[in-house]
């Protein structure tokens, strides 16, 4: 008789955003005339930039001709894209990262869930709290998190690093020594960041204790402050302790196209074992490569026209973020984020729980956000709004919330 992976049975409920979708769909069915404005999931709304669409069309035409047809992509990604990424995202910022250290994939979510496979199951993970749920859930599926306590909403073997207003959203080094450290910067969900000096301390710490930092830089395009790095490899010593995950979803609107990449430096080793080699083996075995047409679209992101058009899109979303942050502040809410990231992290009013505020906002204002408790126990009493809606809907949602 076959057996199931019992680690899945330990997972509480369904994935956070699946739960939200079910709640919203049920409300819509019961109230078909309600105009619901969704500021919950971090999905973009602006169309893909013209320069990228042009590259997609050209690549599609190539696929229709025998001379330019492409089958399986190289499992680590086409050289034209990897070299373009290395030049623009790393070399241009003074980072010592080469094209053959870049692994192209179908998105940062997949990579952030899969990267744990190359590590032993008895490694201790440390996560900021609140945190993007995929980090914890994927490790729980692998059996690395122990048992879930429904009362405290924590896993027995996970090291939680509170990232709250009380510590300026800067996690402190944990008392227990971790093996794998997840850092998302700019942070999802809080929208806050670490300065270069603060991140350098984490790099030094990881090198000192022999840990690996799994650094999620999905929102780097939204950074506006000079003392916040765009890549962890801007910090000294990061090549020997850090893996970086990147996405084209938030900077180029590829949420429905799917493209991302992970950087694993060749200096990163466990004894004599190269993590670069392990990830290459895993990648080549379990992944058949992102489509050629999508990788050509990714290349166009770095063209002069692409850069200019995407700069406008980022500015559009950050205009939304500014409007939400300023509007809620004037309405008396305590808010964070919205400066280096397209997320607003607000304290729920009158000590309401995160899910109670979700229900209240949905029922009374027909606005959808994300309960902070869904990101971890220290997210309780907070709520996340996204700036990825269109500007008109964002202003209307803000007006509705201000009237509550």
């Amino acid at each position: 008789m076959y057996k199931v992976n019992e680690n899945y049975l330990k997972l509480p409920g369904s994935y956070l955003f699946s739960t939200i979708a079910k709640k919203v769909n049920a409300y819509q069915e019961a109230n078909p005339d309600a105009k619901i404005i969704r500021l919950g999931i971090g999905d973009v709304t602006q169309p893909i930039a013209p320069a990228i669409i042009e590259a997609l069309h050209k690549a599609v035409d190539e696929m229709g001709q025998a001379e330019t047809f492409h089958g399986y992509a190289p499992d680590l990604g086409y050289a034209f894209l990897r070299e373009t990424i290395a030049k623009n995202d790393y070399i241009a910022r003074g980072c010592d990262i080469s094209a053959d250290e870049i692994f192209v994939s179908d998105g940062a979510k997949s990579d952030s869930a899969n990267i744990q496979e190359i590590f032993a199951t008895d490694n201790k993970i440390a996560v900021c709290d609140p945190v993007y749920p995929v980090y914890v859930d994927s490790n729980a599926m692998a059996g690395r998190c122990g048992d879930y306590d429904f009362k405290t909403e924590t896993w027995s073997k996970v090291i939680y690093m509170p990232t709250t207003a009380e510590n300026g959203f800067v996690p402190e080094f944990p008392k227990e020594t971790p093996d794998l450290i997840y850092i998302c910067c700019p942070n999802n969900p809080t929208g806050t960041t670490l300065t270069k000096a603060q991140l350098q301390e984490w790099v030094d710490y990881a090198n000192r204790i022999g840990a690996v930092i799994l650094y999620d830089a999905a929102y780097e395009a939204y950074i506006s402050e000079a003392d916040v790095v765009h890549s962890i490899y801007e910090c000294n010593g990061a090549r020997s302790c850090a893996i970086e995950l990147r996405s084209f979803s938030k900077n180029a609107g590829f949420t429905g196209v799917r493209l991302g990449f992970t950087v694993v430096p060749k200096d990163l080793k466990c004894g004599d074992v190269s993590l670069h080699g392990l990830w290459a083996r895993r990648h080549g075995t379990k992944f058949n490569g992102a489509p050629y047409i999508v990788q050509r679209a990714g290349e166009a992101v770095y063209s002069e026209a692409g850069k200019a058009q995407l700069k406008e899109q980022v500015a559009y979303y950050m205009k939304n973020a500014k409007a939400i942050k300023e509007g809620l502040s004037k309405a008396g809410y305590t808010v964070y984020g919205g400066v280096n990231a397209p997320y607003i992290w607000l304290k729920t009013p009158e000590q309401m729980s995160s899910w109670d505020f979700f229900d209240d906002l949905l029922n009374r204002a027909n606005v959808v956000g994300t309960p902070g408790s869904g990101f971890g126990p220290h997210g309780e009493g907070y709520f996340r709004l996204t700036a990825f809606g269109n500007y008109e809907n964002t202003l209307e949602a803000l007006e509705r919330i201000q009237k509550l």
Side-chain angles (χ1 to χ4, degrees), residues 16-178:
L16 171 62
F17 295 104
S18 299
T19 302
I20 291 172
K22 291 176 183 176
K23 279 179 166 282
V24 175
N25 290 338
Y27 180 83
Q28 188 74 83
E29 289 180 9
N31 302 273
D33 296 329
K35 180 188 175 184
I36 297 175
I37 299 178
R38 302 169 190 262
L39 300 180
I41 192 169
D43 195 2
V44 296
T45 54
Q46 294 301 293
I48 291 176
I52 300 171
I53 291 296
E54 183 180 347
L56 274 169
H57 279 297
K58 182 180 178 181
V60 168
D61 290 340
E62 288 180 35
M63 296 295 282
Q65 303 295 324
E67 298 79 11
T68 52
F69 172 78
H70 288 76
Y72 287 124
D75 51 8
L76 307 186
Y78 283 102
F80 65 76
L81 179 56
R82 297 166 82 196
E83 290 168 0
T84 299
I85 291 170
K87 176 183 176 182
N88 287 272
D89 285 334
Y90 296 102
I91 296 172
R93 294 192 181 280
C95 302
D96 180 20
I97 296 296
S98 60
D100 63 357
E101 294 175 314
I102 295 167
F103 298 78
V104 176
S105 72
D106 61 353
K109 180 179 182 180
S110 300
D111 285 355
S112 64
N114 294 330
I115 193 69
Q116 52 79 26
E117 289 187 21
I118 66 174
F119 298 100
T121 54
D122 59 355
N123 280 324
K124 274 276 192 177
I125 70 165
V127 297
C128 296
D129 177 25
V131 71
Y132 183 45
V134 171
Y135 308 152
V136 174
D137 287 2
S138 59
N139 278 282
M141 291 171 177
R144 200 175 282 113
C145 294
D147 296 314
Y148 186 75
D149 186 328
F150 284 88
K151 185 176 181 180
T152 62
E153 298 183 320
T154 59
W155 291 87
S156 61
K157 293 185 178 180
V158 173
I159 301 170
Y160 292 90
M161 304 182 294
T163 308
T164 64
E166 286 70 28
N167 60 15
F169 298 98
V170 179
E172 299 174 1
F173 300 143
K175 295 179 181 178
E176 187 177 358
T177 302

Side-chain angles (χ1 to χ4, degrees), residues 36-39 358 361-362 365-369 385 397 400-401:
I36 297 175
I37 299 178
R38 302 169 190 262
L39 300 180
F358 172 90
L361 206 60
L362 177 60
N366 294 161
V367 173
V368 177
L385 293 175
R400 295 182 191 178
I401 295 172

Side-chain angles (χ1 to χ4, degrees), residues 109-363:
K109 180 179 182 180
S110 300
D111 285 355
S112 64
N114 294 330
I115 193 69
Q116 52 79 26
E117 289 187 21
I118 66 174
F119 298 100
T121 54
D122 59 355
N123 280 324
K124 274 276 192 177
I125 70 165
V127 297
C128 296
D129 177 25
V131 71
Y132 183 45
V134 171
Y135 308 152
V136 174
D137 287 2
S138 59
N139 278 282
M141 291 171 177
R144 200 175 282 113
C145 294
D147 296 314
Y148 186 75
D149 186 328
F150 284 88
K151 185 176 181 180
T152 62
E153 298 183 320
T154 59
W155 291 87
S156 61
K157 293 185 178 180
V158 173
I159 301 170
Y160 292 90
M161 304 182 294
T163 308
T164 64
E166 286 70 28
N167 60 15
F169 298 98
V170 179
E172 299 174 1
F173 300 143
K175 295 179 181 178
E176 187 177 358
T177 302
D179 301 299
L180 307 176
I181 304 167
Y182 285 82
I183 295 178
C184 181
C185 190
N187 182 267
N188 176 18
T190 65
T192 56
T193 59
L194 300 177
T195 65
K196 182 177 182 179
Q198 290 166 338
L199 185 58
Q200 182 66 60
E201 291 181 2
W202 277 97
V203 170
D204 294 341
Y205 170 76
N207 277 318
R208 186 167 64 251
I209 66 172
V212 174
I213 296 175
L214 302 170
Y215 189 76
D216 187 344
Y219 299 93
E220 65 81 26
Y222 294 85
I223 293 171
S224 62
E225 295 181 320
D227 63 345
V228 179
V229 299
H230 290 254
S231 168
I232 195 170
Y233 302 115
E234 293 178 56
C235 295
N236 295 328
R239 281 185 57 87
S240 60
C241 72
I243 292 173
E244 183 165 287
L245 305 111
R246 290 282 194 103
S247 171
F248 286 80
S249 289
K250 314 302 181 179
N251 66 325
F254 278 33
T255 53
V257 177
R258 307 309 304 151
L259 190 65
F261 62 90
T262 290
V263 180
V264 186
K266 294 179 180 178
D267 295 359
L268 188 51
K269 295 182 178 181
C270 179
D272 295 329
V273 178
S274 164
L275 296 192
H276 179 278
L278 292 184
W279 185 241
R281 185 68 170 86
R282 190 267 172 205
H283 210 62
T285 300
K286 294 192 174 185
F287 184 62
N288 253 350
Y292 171 75
I293 60 174
V294 175
Q295 293 197 49
R296 280 298 185 191
E299 181 187 33
V301 167
Y302 299 96
S303 67
E304 290 305 312
K307 288 179 181 178
Q309 291 162 8
L310 294 182
K311 186 177 181 180
E312 291 181 2
Q313 284 198 356
V314 168
Y316 178 94
Y317 292 130
M318 291 309 290
K319 180 181 178 182
N320 289 348
K322 182 179 180 181
I324 296 172
K325 184 170 187 175
E326 292 181 351
L328 291 180
S329 294
K330 291 179 180 178
Y333 288 86
T334 300
V335 295
Y336 306 94
V339 176
N340 294 292
Y343 293 122
I344 303 299
W345 188 243
L346 63 101
K347 193 163 183 58
T348 57
E350 301 174 0
Q351 297 184 325
M352 292 178 69
S353 74
S354 297
W355 278 106
D356 283 347
F357 187 65
F358 172 90
D359 292 334
D360 190 56
L361 206 60
L362 177 60
N363 285 283

